[in-house]
Structures are given as C-alpha cells and as structure tokens.
Amino acid sequence: MKREIKVLVLALAVTFTACSKSNSGTDSGGITTPTTPTNPVTPTATLQSSMPFPFGAAVNISLLKNNTAYRALVIKEYNSLTAESVMKTAALHPAQNTYDFTDADYLCDFAKTNGKRVHGHTLIWYKSLPAWITNFQGDAAAWENLLKTHIQTIVAHFKGKVVSWDVVNEAFEDDGTLRNSIWLQKLGPDYIARCYTYAHEADPDALLFYNDYGHEYGPTKRAAILSMVNGLVSRGIPINGIGMQMHTRYNLGDSNWATAINACAATGLKVHISELDIAMNPNNDQTLTYTAALSEAQTQKYKLIVQDYNAIPKAQQFGITTWNVSDADSWIPGNYNRPDWPLPFDFNYARKPCYQGILDGVK
Ligand code: XIL
C-alpha cells in the first residue's frame, strides 16, 4: 500500500514537471511565466472570433492612442468600431466653414490597418451642437442648405472608409413625440426623411440607420420610432437599419429585450445593438459595491440579450456594439454621478464573468 502511494506521488510529480515545462516560458528566480493561456477549451476565443455577427465597441480616441492595454484589447477583441465622440458634430464641424477630420481619420486608419469595420456616429443629433449651429441665423432655405452641406461633406469625406451611419440620432422624446430640437424647429418634422436622402446622395453604398434609446423600456417610444421608420420605408426613403442603443439596466423584466429586438426586426431592416451597456446601479446608490451576485446577474443579462439578438434573421444582424470597453472607460458613472460596472471588462481590462455570458449567448 505504502509503495503504491509512493509510485503515485512520483507519477504525479513527473506529470506536473512535464506540463509546466511545455506550458511555460523563461524561468526567472523560480517563477514560471505561462506563455499559453490557461483556458483549456478555447484558448484563443475572443469576441470577434466567437460571435456569428460583427462585435464592436465605441472607442475613445485618446485612450486608443495613449493606453497600450486599451489599444491591444480593441485590436484583439472587436471587428467593428464606432467613435464614442470624434464623429459628432462638435468634433467634425466646429465652425461653418471648418471641418476637422483629424481624430476621425486616425480611427479610420487604425481600423483599416487592423481589419475592422467603422460605423459612423452621428450626423444629426440634438446634442454635440457647436455654437455656430445653435446661433445660426437664416431662413428656411439657409437652414436646409446647412443641413445638406453638413451631412454631405462628412459622408463624402468618409466614403469607402465608413460603411454605415447613424444618420439621425435620438429624434424622439420618451413619450413618443418628436423631440423639440433645433432641427425640428427650423426644418419641420420631415427633416428626418431629408437627412437620409442627402446622406444617400453622398454615399449610395453606405448603410443608413436611425439610432435611439429606450426601445426596451416600453411600447410608447418604440411604436413612435417604428412607425416613423416604416413610413420612411414605404415612401422609398433610403433607410437600411435601426440602431437600438440599449443603454439598459439589469433589473428590467427578461421579456423586455426580446420584445424590443423582435419589434425592430419585424420592420425587415437591419438591427444594430449600437451602444450596449448594462447598468448595475440604476437606483444611484452611492455606496453600492459590485458583488458576486450582481456579477452573476449581469452575466445572465448579457447572455440573454445576445441570445435574443442571435435569434433574429442572420441577414438583419448588423452586429452588437458595446459603448466603450471597460468599466474604467464607461460614460455611465460620469454621466449619472454614481459607481457602476456596465461593461464586460473590468478596471484592469481583464474579462469579467459577463464576458463569458456574451460568448454563451451564441452557444
Ligand atoms: C456619450 C458619450 O459616451 C460621452 O462620453 C459624451 O460625453 C456624451 O455622449 N447616446 C448616444 C451617444 O448616442 O453618443 C452618447 O455618448 C450616449 C447616449
């Protein structure tokens, strides 16, 4: 008996030594550095390699330029990129006759070098308006010219580099009425249709989206959006897809996401989950911590949303984009002034358990 145990211990020791040799790099001071990932099932799985549709992130250009961990993660994980800020109006068109494409061009070059799709965000929005637009004085024709020139100059500049655009962003209020933006005030309700026509003239190959938030919170705003979109389609206005931002929260009823995704898919247009993040502190609790239970809940919700999206017809799956990369970069804590953990990577750019929830959503 004793002898058998000795043999077993010896055999285990030999096996362990062999394994750690084949799985390690240079020994330094007795510390072995692993050179291969430890996940035995899918050691090289990433979001871009695992998802059956494009998987993207909104990126912050200064982090992309200056933070090596961030840049490496973006290169590794995603195959579609949206600019978090640098393709908005204030950035691209700071004065009437001045366009600044520097940062957006940097993103396009980065995407080209690394084989990634670029989705353009956004041409016409009530936010990110430079003073020259809010102060603009002119009659209806002058406003129309402003709208058309703005859209067409930008779309033409990125032709062949940006495959798709959020042409109009957030044109509805939560009660389903058209938002009383400067665009509505100066151009009337049909400005939305004209934005699509102008964008299409500048780049007939670009896929054109209407982007908004809140589809999953209830039928009122969703119905207004879908009625507007269906109206454009029936008039032959060139619109190709719906962007569902999905700045969502973990404690919605589980059926809400499927209901919203399926309603958008019922238009027959492409559907882009365009700004996904899952807030874990929707009640603004300043003392909240991210517990194992919250992490597990978030994992299940990421999985469910991915499952719901994966169930719509393939040809309509434009992809899923998260709104930035890690909890350190998310806009949620700053925007709502609270601690929160909405994204699949943690403050150290390590994968959170909900990363696996995303992968599991397509299994
Ligand atoms: C947000 C950015 O993440 C912030 O950094 C910025 O300060 C404000 O805009 N809906 C949109 C996005 O369409 O453009 C917004 O992005 C988030 C809500």
Side-chain angles (χ1 to χ4, degrees), residues 84-85 88 121 125 169-170 211 245 247 275 323 331:
E84 185 177 11
S85 297
K88 290 174 178 170
H121 174 85
W125 191 25
N169 193 36
E170 300 181 350
N211 195 54
Q245 291 185 7
H247 295 294
E275 306 186 11
W323 204 242
W331 73 302

Side-chain angles (χ1 to χ4, degrees), residues 15-340:
T15 316
F16 177 78
T17 313
C19 283
S20 60
K21 277 206 176 121
S22 70
N23 197 28
S24 63
T26 329
D27 281 357
S28 61
I31 298 165
T32 2
T33 337
T35 52
T36 50
T38 44
N39 181 341
V41 187
T42 47
T44 57
T46 63
L47 293 169
Q48 61 172 322
S49 74
S50 308
M51 294 291 117
F53 41 75
F55 204 96
V59 290
N60 172 316
I61 301 305
S62 42
L63 288 175
L64 195 64
K65 287 178 181 167
N66 302 318
N67 181 324
T68 49
Y70 183 93
R71 185 183 177 93
L73 197 59
V74 168
I75 291 172
K76 180 177 172 189
E77 295 285 353
Y78 307 99
N79 51 11
S80 181
L81 302 178
T82 303
E84 185 177 11
S85 297
V86 301
M87 289 193 189
K88 290 174 178 170
T89 302
L92 285 186
H93 197 176
Q96 185 164 9
N97 298 311
T98 308
Y99 292 84
D100 182 354
F101 296 115
T102 319
D103 283 340
D105 283 347
Y106 178 90
L107 176 66
C108 292
D109 292 344
F110 172 86
K112 188 167 186 210
T113 306
N114 294 290
K116 302 185 190 309
R117 177 179 85 177
V118 179
H119 172 71
H121 174 85
T122 176
L123 296 168
I124 295 296
W125 191 25
Y126 76 102
K127 285 185 173 166
S128 191
L129 290 175
W132 77 267
I133 294 183
T134 46
N135 297 333
F136 186 79
Q137 303 293 321
D139 60 11
W143 273 97
E144 193 69 27
N145 182 54
L146 183 163
L147 182 80
K148 181 176 179 180
T149 307
H150 171 73
I151 291 173
Q152 296 200 329
T153 306
I154 292 170
V155 173
H157 176 86
F158 292 106
K159 187 170 164 28
K161 298 176 180 165
V162 165
V163 303
S164 50
W165 282 99
D166 291 332
V167 176
V168 178
N169 193 36
E170 300 181 350
F172 284 93
E173 300 280 2
D174 293 352
D175 67 4
T177 58
L178 273 184
R179 189 183 292 281
N180 190 22
S181 68
I182 201 162
W183 308 114
L184 179 70
Q185 290 167 20
K186 304 294 181 185
L187 296 158
D190 211 35
Y191 82 89
I192 298 179
R194 300 201 297 282
C195 291
Y196 289 84
T197 304
Y198 294 148
H200 184 70
E201 283 170 6
D203 182 359
D205 297 324
L207 294 170
L208 306 181
F209 285 76
Y210 174 75
N211 195 54
D212 214 327
Y213 65 87
H215 303 77
E216 72 277 26
Y217 289 108
T220 308
K221 182 174 186 178
R222 179 169 71 232
I225 291 170
L226 295 179
S227 153
M228 182 277 291
V229 166
N230 284 326
L232 295 182
V233 172
S234 67
R235 288 164 61 194
I237 302 291
I239 181 167
N240 306 97
I242 299 174
M244 310 177 70
Q245 291 185 7
M246 287 278 216
H247 295 294
T248 200
R249 55 174 86 132
Y250 81 101
N251 55 355
L252 278 188
D254 278 358
S255 62
N256 284 43
W257 294 295
T259 302
I261 292 168
N262 293 339
C264 289
T267 61
L269 299 182
K270 291 186 187 298
V271 179
H272 182 199
I273 294 187
S274 56
E275 306 186 11
L276 178 63
D277 44 33
I278 305 182
M280 303 309 292
N281 188 9
N283 295 329
N284 283 22
D285 177 351
Q286 295 304 319
T287 62
L288 193 74
T289 54
Y290 188 63
T291 58
L294 279 183
S295 169
E296 172 56 21
Q298 191 173 37
T299 300
Q300 291 313 316
K301 303 308 166 176
Y302 264 107
K303 180 178 173 186
L304 187 65
I305 291 169
V306 170
Q307 266 173 345
D308 292 340
Y309 184 76
N310 197 36
I312 70 170
K314 284 281 143 216
Q316 289 177 260
Q317 294 172 351
F318 186 70
I320 294 182
T321 299
T322 61
W323 204 242
N324 223 315
V325 170
S326 86
D327 290 339
D329 324 309
S330 169
W331 73 302
I332 298 279
N335 197 66
Y336 296 101
N337 190 25
R338 70 184 188 218
D340 213 322

